[in-house]
Amino acid sequence: MTPETSIGFLLPLAVGVAAVGSGLGLGRAVGAAMEAMGRQPEAAGKIQTAMIIGAAFIEALTIYALVAVMLLKP
Amino acid sequence: MDLKFIDRVIKTTLVLAAALFPFFAIYIKMNFALSVLFGAVWGALNLLGIKIIIISLLVPEKPNWVVGLIILFLKLPVLYFLGYLLATWSYMSIGGLLWGFSGILIVSVLKVLSRTYLGLDKKDTADSHPSPAENKA
């Protein structure tokens, strides 16, 4: 197997791993936020703000992985 | 820290990107400056989309399905396809796009740090939850 072929196999796999990690993280974050909102509905605004920032950061990780793959692809 | 914080982050990022555009265009390169600007605008639209989806769908009361789903279908295929086009356009600098996209994250981290340093969130919490002594008074 040439290095180009192995990179061609591994790069999509790396994005997949990043996407799975982000999905798990986002799921945990949203789940915890919904639980917190259920306990304290009056604090929903503050919880949502923190959740939006967290979601943006988690999503950014996958986008960075995707861009890195686009830069590295043979 | 309320939902207006997100709007302020978006506005600050766009103003920062617009202010940096001439400097990057003159001192670095036009394509880098445009990439930073487009990256920042893309990041701002992405954050706005996340905000609208969350405040429409993930709420304690009745969710607004129509707005949430419209923005979800605009964000996922349309905005992401625009991002793909920007990233694959040969004129654009990938590094510039990444810097522009990271701008919104940098601004939000700096804003949160400054709020923590100034103790603004403690003040909010103290206002909304008075201490037992204040309750008695």
Side-chain angles (χ1 to χ4, degrees):
Chain A
M1 190 185 282
T2 61
E4 286 81 14
T5 317
S6 47
I7 287 174
F9 274 120
L10 287 174
L11 285 181
L13 199 67
V15 180
V17 170
V20 167
S22 291
L24 287 175
L26 203 54
R28 276 181 69 97
V30 173
M34 292 308 284
E35 205 175 302
M37 270 195 273
R39 278 204 207 116
Q40 279 187 296
E42 69 276 2
K46 286 179 184 172
I47 296 167
Q48 279 175 335
T49 308
M51 183 165 56
I52 291 166
I53 295 172
F57 273 90
I58 293 168
E59 206 184 282
L61 287 179
T62 318
I63 293 169
Y64 285 140
L66 196 63
V67 173
V69 165
M70 287 170 78
L71 281 174
L72 291 173
K73 78 178 173 190
Chain B
M1 197 162 71
D2 55 356
L3 285 167
K4 283 180 189 159
F5 176 80
I6 306 292
D7 298 332
R8 289 200 298 268
V9 166
I10 292 172
K11 273 182 207 160
T12 310
T13 309
L14 292 178
V15 168
L16 189 69
L20 287 175
F21 177 76
F23 292 99
F24 286 149
I26 291 168
Y27 293 112
I28 302 180
K29 257 184 176 180
M30 190 61 186
N31 66 340
F32 184 82
L34 267 179
S35 305
V36 172
L37 187 69
F38 282 149
V41 170
W42 191 91
L45 287 175
N46 191 35
L47 188 64
L48 193 66
I50 294 174
K51 181 198 154 194
I52 295 173
I53 289 166
I54 288 179
I55 61 172
S56 311
L57 299 180
L58 304 174
V59 284
E61 308 94 38
K62 202 179 164 203
N64 189 348
W65 288 105
V66 180
V67 174
L69 289 178
I70 287 173
I71 297 298
L72 193 70
F73 285 114
L74 274 179
K75 177 180 160 6
L76 291 181
V78 179
L79 191 65
Y80 277 43
F81 183 65
L82 276 178
Y84 175 76
L85 287 183
L86 281 176
T88 49
W89 186 8
S90 56
Y91 180 70
M92 288 289 160
S93 146
I94 294 274
L97 279 174
L98 272 185
W99 271 112
F101 171 70
S102 306
I104 205 146
L105 306 176
I106 296 167
V107 167
S108 59
V109 167
L110 289 177
K111 272 187 169 285
V112 169
L113 282 179
S114 64
R115 286 184 73 89
T116 310
Y117 179 71
L118 295 172
L120 294 177
D121 292 323
K122 272 186 197 165
K123 211 172 161 188
D124 284 354
T125 316
D127 289 345
S128 56
H129 301 289
S131 64
E134 282 170 328
N135 273 339
K136 276 180 191 169

